[in-house]
Each structure stands twice: as C-alpha cells, then as structure tokens.
Amino acid sequence: MLEEQNEPSSSDEDEESLFLPQAKEVFAQRRKPVVIPQFPESFPNKEINPDEEDVEDSLTDEEDELSNEETIETAKATTESSEEEQEDEEEIQNQGESIEQLAAGREEKEDDDIIVAICNAAKPQEKTKPPDLRTSLNCMVTDISFHPNEELIAMADIEGEITCYKYGNEENELLHTLNHHKKSCRALTFNHDGALLFSASKDKSVVITDTETMKVTQSFLKAHSSPIYSLLCMDANIWASGDDDGVVKVWDQRRSVQKPVAEFKEMDEFVSSMITDSGSRLLVCTSGEGTLTAFNTRRKKMEGQSEVYPSEMNCAGLVRQETKVIAGLGNGNMYIFDWKAFGYHSDAFGDHPSAINCMLPIMDNIVITGCDDGKIRAISLFPHRFLGVVGHHKFPIERLDISTCGHYIASTSHDGRVRFWNISYFENPDLKLMESTTKKSVRNKKRSLRKEKLGFQLPSSKRRNKGDFFAGFAEPEPEPEAGPAEEAEPSEELDCVLFTSDESD
C-alpha cells in the first residue's frame, strides 16, 4: 500500500501533462489573438521525463518570442494591407473622378476659349479719341471748327450760343461760352492762325471775336439783306460770306468802313459752301440750284460757272494737289471738275445711298463724306472705291471738320452731339484698305465690292463687321513660290537684248 502511494499515479501525470502545455498555449494565445489555438484531442499515457519537460519549457519560451514577433508582423501587415486597400479605393475613386473631370474638362476648355475670346472682345478698349460733346441746352449743333494750332474746338447751336472746349482723350474742358447772336448761328470758323473766330447768324450779322480775350473786335450787324448761310476765311485779312438768296460778298478786315470789297449775284439759291486755293485768287461756291461757280476776287468778276445739275450741290473740296474740285450732290452723286475748267465735270462717282451733306478731304486721294443716312464714309478717288464707314450717327450728318494734328475728325448731327473719330489708321501702311476682303466673280465684282464697302466698318467705328469674329480661324494663304519659268524670264530678256545688240553690230 505504501509503495503504491509513493509511486506517482498515472492520473496525476496525465493532469500535469495536460495542464502545463494547455496553460502555456492559452498564455501564448492571449499574446497572439490572431492565431487560433488547436487543442489535442487525445494524449498518450506515458511518463514524462524532467529533461523533456525542460526542453518543452525552452521550446515554449522560444515559441512565445516568435509568436510575439509574428503578432507584431501580422499587425503591421494587416495595417499596411488596410492602408493599401484604402489607397486603392481612393485611387479608384480618384480615377473615376479624374475621368469625369477630363470628360467635362474638354468641354470646359472648348467653351473657355470661346468665352475668353468673347470677354476680350467685350472689354473696354483704350481711349483713342475724345468723348462726345453736348450743348448746354441739348439742342441741334449747326457748325463746328477746330483751332489750327491748339487742341481747341468751337461749336455753335441753333439757339445762337457758341461754346469753346479744350478736347482730350480723357475728358473735355469747357473754356468759354459766347452769346453774341440773337438767332441761330449757322456758320463758324477760325482764321488761319487761330487768333480770330468768325461767326455768322440767321439774324444777318457777322461777329469777329478775339480768341485770347474772348472779346468782340468787329461786329457787322447788317452784313447781308438775307440770312447768312456760309462763311470762309480766305487769308489773314480777306473773308467771304454767302446768304440764302445766292449773294456772295468779299470783305477786307483792314478797312475801317464796314463795306464789302466785292459783291456777286450769280446764283438764285442759297450758297451752300465756299472753298479757295492756297493763292486765294479764286473763290469757288456751290449753290442749291445745282451749279458750281468760281469768282476772281482780285478782278471782281465771275471766272466760270457749271451747267445746272439735277440736284442741289451741298459741298465741295480740293484734291489732287489742288488740281481737282470735287462736289457732292443731294442725289448721292459726286462730280469731279478740273481746276479752272468748271463748265462740265471730268469724272463722276455714284452709288451713295443718300444725299451728301458735307465733305472733307483728309488726304490727297481720300475724301470723307457725311450723308443723310447718318454714316460717315471714306472714299478713294483714284481709283473710285468705297473704303468703309468711319463713323455713324442716328440722324443725318450736317458738318465735318479735321483737327490740326490730322488724327481726329469731328461730326455733328441732329441729335445735338459732336462726336470724334480717330482716323490715324489711314497713315498706317500695313492697313490695306484698297484690297477686297472676299473674292467675287468677275461679272459682279464691281457691284459686289461697292455693296460690301458701303457697310464695311473701319477701325474708327465702334461697330464690328460680321466676319471679324471668325477672322482668327482663317489660315494664312501660302505665298506662291517662284517657279523655274519665272526665274528664267530675266535671262531670256537678257538674251534678247544681247541678240539685238549683235544684230546692230
């Protein structure tokens, strides 16, 4: 019995063999939550040596260390894998968004180019001309005149008021206001040096004002027996006036007696305009009866008169180095007369859509016309061609004048405004105004060009042409290269010259 008690029971050994590895595995399982422990289903009934127990203990410690490392690595791996999955998901989402953005971005880019072009076109441009002028009473402006040496413009209205402005691109400054006339001031002009300002009125009076002091130097209360229609300073001392009955008078400022030097009555209707050459010998007048008449102021007689044309002559100008006189009629036609040959016109220019009320030669070959349709047009005389529209009003154009610098012209209309137009582009050699913008057939070339240029807007006009929006899409035409035939032409001409010289020898 004692021996049996001293011997270890198999049940105790089984309990120890079962408890120790199970406890160790559970202890390791707490450290390694990911690994699921596998419990043995059955264990053999055999004795366990203490050496074997030590080996198992040592193995279990190493396994614990390895298990700790594995848990850390697995935790890192899981975190890295989760981060990679999140990144992959974000990349997929970003790819989806980027595809949508690219699909929408192409349309946006296409729209952006058009929007940018429209916005650039709609941006306010730099100020290249003075702002418009208005009278104090908002009434009709009857005449304007630029100072020959200063940036000064004088304007007269239908109420008889005269105002002088200093003009500039930024603003206009009112300098003086004159009220010399009781009725409408019809004509206004500076003399050659700008020291005097002449004004004529419907009340039959002419007033001369000093521009520095703005005081009246001379006043002709009854200069004509009928209302005065036109006025012209011929030189520093001689000036002329014409009235509604066709009477023309020439005055000398140096005379103390207020009487004209010469008086002519060769026309039956109003004297619409007067011009003279640089020598101031001939005074050329247009009239409402449709005639062009020239007077010799020194000999005090009529030099010549044209035949009666079917419409009134409203204006005239000198072109081609004062060798030609061009006149504008109420039916839209223009006639060119040779100087000192005023009997009949030498050339004609038609196709104006309405009456020509005023005319302004700005260059030796270019004339600006103001018409009843409210448009100011530029015309080339030789060859005869419409260049385009310089500017426009809502109502008929009444007067035109050019500044002393030659960059601006001013126009008046029934709307009570004086508008400025910058015409400096006429001096730009790169601007090819004489070329056609489109190709036309030979049969209708002249007709199509005239119709096209009648509505063609020049750079001074604020309006745009229909083809300007698509002008940037047109590709420049390649310049034709010189072929072998063209290169051989000079040598052929040279051979011919050599051959003829041999024959002569």
Side-chain angles (χ1 to χ4, degrees), residues 452-470:
E452 179 185 353
K453 289 297 183 180
L454 278 173
F456 179 72
Q457 305 292 327
L458 291 172
S460 56
S461 177
K462 291 183 179 180
R463 297 181 183 177
R464 296 181 179 273
N465 297 302
K466 295 179 180 178
D468 289 347
F469 182 79
F470 302 99

Side-chain angles (χ1 to χ4, degrees), residues 493-505:
E493 292 179 358
L494 184 61
D495 293 339
C496 293
V497 172
L498 292 174
F499 180 76
T500 52
S501 60
D502 291 337
E503 270 191 343
S504 60
D505 292 342

Side-chain angles (χ1 to χ4, degrees), residues 13 61 108 146 156 166 221-222 226 261 270 278 281 286 291-292 338 353-354 372 375 378 401 448 454 475 477 482:
E13 292 177 357
D61 294 335
E108 289 179 357
F146 277 101
K166 184 178 181 181
L221 298 179
K222 296 293 181 181
S226 59
V261 176
F270 62 94
S278 57
R281 291 189 176 185
T286 58
T291 57
L292 183 74
D338 293 330
S354 58
D372 256 355
K375 292 184 179 181
D401 198 11
S448 60
L454 278 173
E475 296 181 357
E477 295 182 359

